[in-house]
Amino acid sequence: MGGDGTATGTAPDAGRRAVLDEAVRLAVREGLLDAPAPVVGLLDVEGIRGTVARLHAAFESPAPVLHTFAAKACGLVPVLQLLAESGMGCEVASPGELAQALAAGFSADRLVFDSPAKTIDELELAVDLGIAINLDNWQELERLDAVLAARPADDRTPRGPLGIRVNPQVGAGAIGAMSTATDTSKFGIALRDPGAEEALVEAFRRRPWLTRLHAHVGSQGCPLPLISAGVRAAYELAEHINAAVGHRQIDSLDIGGGLPVNFDGDEESPGHAAYVAQLREDVPGLFDGRYALVTEFGRSVLAKHGMVLTRVEYTKSAGGRPIAITHAGAQVAARTVFMPRAWPLRIGVFDADGVPKAGPSVVQDVAGPCCFAGDLTAEGRELPLLEPGDVVALYDTGAYYFSSHFAYNSLPRPAVYGFRFDDADRARFALVREAQTLAEIVAESGAAYADSLVGLVDAGAAESMRAATEGAPGDDPAGNADDDPGRDPGPEEVPACAS
């Protein structure tokens, strides 16, 4: 295999398929799909490294660039460490992702903290560590003002870059939920809203420690011209602010990520080089070295280098259509199951030994184990007819699928392995994450507090019984029931003067 993860002497796309097919065969041989684990994730280590190398090469220019990986795409610590060793930084959007990034060995100066809901504690931690922060809204900016003002007078200058995220409002891509630059997006300060640009100029003028602008148009479904238009809006705003304040205060631009991925074939398309070409055409000043750049790619780095493997447990037919029941469904491919048109996956079919299966194509469904009818990873797909014991591969699942488990039916998270071929074409597998055990599922389900709710009921019943016993008439051990102030007197007890 070549150093970019392709088979030696083959075209990249054909080489990628050869790598994946061989990985399936060897994973089966190694017993990675044996019971009790009939579903597993695989990551191509050399494929990932090759994509990162091409990313760095695409952005070569006088402008210094920090490529950060969007941790949300795959927050598994071994994956993050591999990316750190490959020269990437990390973009995090929650305390959990920050903890994962730190565990993977990223230094503070290679981290970017994004989130529309940062707490005071999170802001204070990021400032203490010197992590770059992209502020999302005016209230957060005021909150950061207070955080800095509360620090000692000699420690109010942030060590990490601080910037503001703007929403360039350039429109939506094909998937609305993935589009973050619509007129009403929840992210950033809406740039085209009345008075927003003037307010941003004043915010930078009053705060010399604000040195960065951030814009991110969206993710899958956003075409290159739309993404580029968002970057151009941020670039032009930076130029305007710097001119207004009279010096180059903004010295870096975080242009986000969002490069879409081709789910129709093996090739990396459109690819980072095509994206840079679009940027050079639309925003030529971006690369002249006046601004340091930050990117936040996730899906485009990992998606093509991961796959989910699962065994076919049963096959059946309904309405004349064959259906293969597998162990991979919504729990590992939630987006594909619930939004199949937006997130289709290519399906690979292998026999029980992991060898690509031949034969005439038959229209059939590939179903998962979840207890609802729509749990399908492929519907009406033409594939070689699947049989019990066969292996199904869900391609292009390296990003989001492994780190976004959906615990429907309390199905366990599958194990994830990385694989790599050496120069002699020998494959090695390394465990990235163990399969979740049933004991862990039960523990996470609150087993340690099993009697807590029943305890509330029992305690409430006991309290009610005590109250009823203590307050019941005639319970005075001295027989002074008539002294009960809450007891209505009978007619014979009415005093004479009341008649």
Side-chain angles (χ1 to χ4, degrees):
M1 301 291 164
D4 62 352
T6 64
T8 305
T10 64
D13 296 339
R16 180 173 295 115
R17 174 53 63 89
V19 167
L20 298 181
D21 286 355
E22 182 65 2
V24 173
R25 186 184 70 82
L26 294 174
V28 172
R29 190 186 71 180
E30 293 287 327
L32 302 188
L33 274 175
D34 291 349
V39 59
V40 69
L42 295 183
L43 283 165
D44 176 6
V45 170
E46 286 305 312
I48 294 169
R49 295 178 67 204
T51 292
V52 174
R54 289 188 289 275
L55 167 61
H56 284 290
F59 274 82
E60 285 184 359
S61 74
V65 184
L66 171 62
H67 293 295
T68 68
F69 175 74
K72 66 181 72 66
C74 189
L76 301 177
V77 172
V79 174
L80 297 180
Q81 187 168 7
L82 174 67
L83 294 169
E85 292 294 322
S86 300
M88 294 196 75
C90 193
E91 180 266 338
V92 300
S94 73
E97 290 180 358
L98 175 57
Q100 290 167 334
L102 293 173
F106 288 101
S107 58
D109 63 338
R110 300 188 70 78
L111 295 176
V112 175
F113 187 25
D114 285 314
S115 166
K118 305 180 196 73
T119 66
I120 290 178
D121 288 344
E122 292 165 14
L123 287 171
E124 289 177 341
L125 176 61
V127 170
D128 287 342
L129 294 177
I131 296 170
I133 304 172
N134 288 323
L135 301 165
D136 181 79
N137 55 72
W138 296 119
Q139 292 176 6
E140 186 181 354
L141 179 58
E142 293 174 357
R143 180 174 287 185
L144 184 60
D145 285 339
V147 167
L148 294 176
R151 299 171 72 85
D154 61 351
D155 190 27
R156 292 177 182 170
T157 301
R159 297 193 302 277
L162 302 181
I164 292 179
R165 177 172 183 168
V166 296
N167 170 13
Q169 294 175 293
V170 293
I175 307 174
M178 298 291 105
S179 302
T180 58
T182 61
D183 285 345
T184 57
S185 170
K186 74 174 187 178
F187 290 104
I189 292 173
L191 185 55
R192 296 183 180 178
D193 280 12
E197 188 169 323
E198 294 79 4
L200 283 164
V201 171
E202 184 59 25
F204 276 83
R205 191 192 313 273
R206 291 176 50 203
R207 300 170 179 86
W209 40 263
L210 281 176
T211 61
R212 175 174 291 177
L213 278 177
H214 170 44
H216 178 69
V217 167
S219 182
Q220 190 70 15
C222 293
L224 297 187
L226 182 67
I227 301 173
S228 182
V231 174
R232 179 173 180 172
Y235 171 83
E236 291 177 344
L237 177 61
E239 295 281 87
H240 175 61
I241 291 174
N242 284 341
V245 301
H247 63 280
R248 189 158 294 282
Q249 179 172 330
I250 297 176
D251 58 14
S252 63
L253 296 173
D254 184 335
I255 63 174
L259 186 68
V261 167
N262 166 38
F263 286 104
D264 295 327
D266 288 318
E267 68 278 4
E268 291 183 357
S269 175
H272 299 106
Y275 175 47
V276 171
Q278 184 77 53
L279 290 175
R280 289 186 182 278
E281 178 180 343
D282 296 341
V283 201
L286 189 67
F287 298 98
D288 64 13
R290 291 178 299 128
Y291 295 100
L293 303 179
V294 178
T295 70
E296 301 177 356
F297 296 111
R299 180 177 292 106
S300 61
V301 174
L302 285 189
K304 306 301 288 186
H305 308 300
M307 57 182 167
V308 173
L309 303 184
T310 182
R311 289 279 188 189
V312 175
E313 194 69 39
Y314 300 107
T315 57
K316 60 170 67 175
S317 178
R321 178 180 293 179
I323 304 171
I325 308 296
T326 76
H327 293 272
Q331 88 278 23
V332 294
R335 292 184 181 188
T336 296
V337 168
F338 291 112
M339 299 178 65
R341 292 184 180 180
W343 303 100
L345 288 177
R346 294 178 298 129
I347 302 294
V349 176
F350 301 80
D351 66 18
D353 295 322
V355 176
K357 197 167 184 179
S361 293
V362 177
V363 175
Q364 58 195 299
D365 294 347
V366 182
C370 298
C371 288
F372 63 94
D375 186 34
L376 303 172
T377 53
E379 183 175 7
R381 194 76 61 87
E382 291 187 359
L383 302 165
L385 185 62
L386 286 159
E387 300 172 291
D390 283 349
V391 175
V392 168
L394 308 181
Y395 295 123
D396 305 329
T397 51
Y400 292 95
Y401 288 82
F402 299 154
S403 59
S404 303
H405 184 77
F406 177 37
Y408 197 88
N409 287 141
S410 294
L411 289 164
R413 291 186 296 270
V416 178
Y417 291 85
F419 67 87
R420 181 176 184 271
F421 292 91
D422 60 24
D423 293 337
D425 284 353
R426 292 186 298 263
R428 295 176 57 195
F429 291 91
L431 184 64
V432 173
R433 180 186 67 196
E434 290 183 333
Q436 188 179 29
T437 67
L438 296 182
E440 289 169 337
I441 292 175
V442 172
E444 291 182 10
S445 301
Y449 312 99
D451 60 354
S452 62
L453 300 183
V454 173
L456 285 178
V457 174
D458 291 345
E463 183 64 28
S464 298
M465 183 173 295
R466 277 196 302 274
T469 300
E470 292 172 358
D475 286 345
D476 188 340
N480 298 321
D482 292 348
D483 293 337
D484 182 1
R487 177 174 171 271
D488 292 334
E492 70 281 3
E493 297 172 328
V494 177
C497 61
S499 58

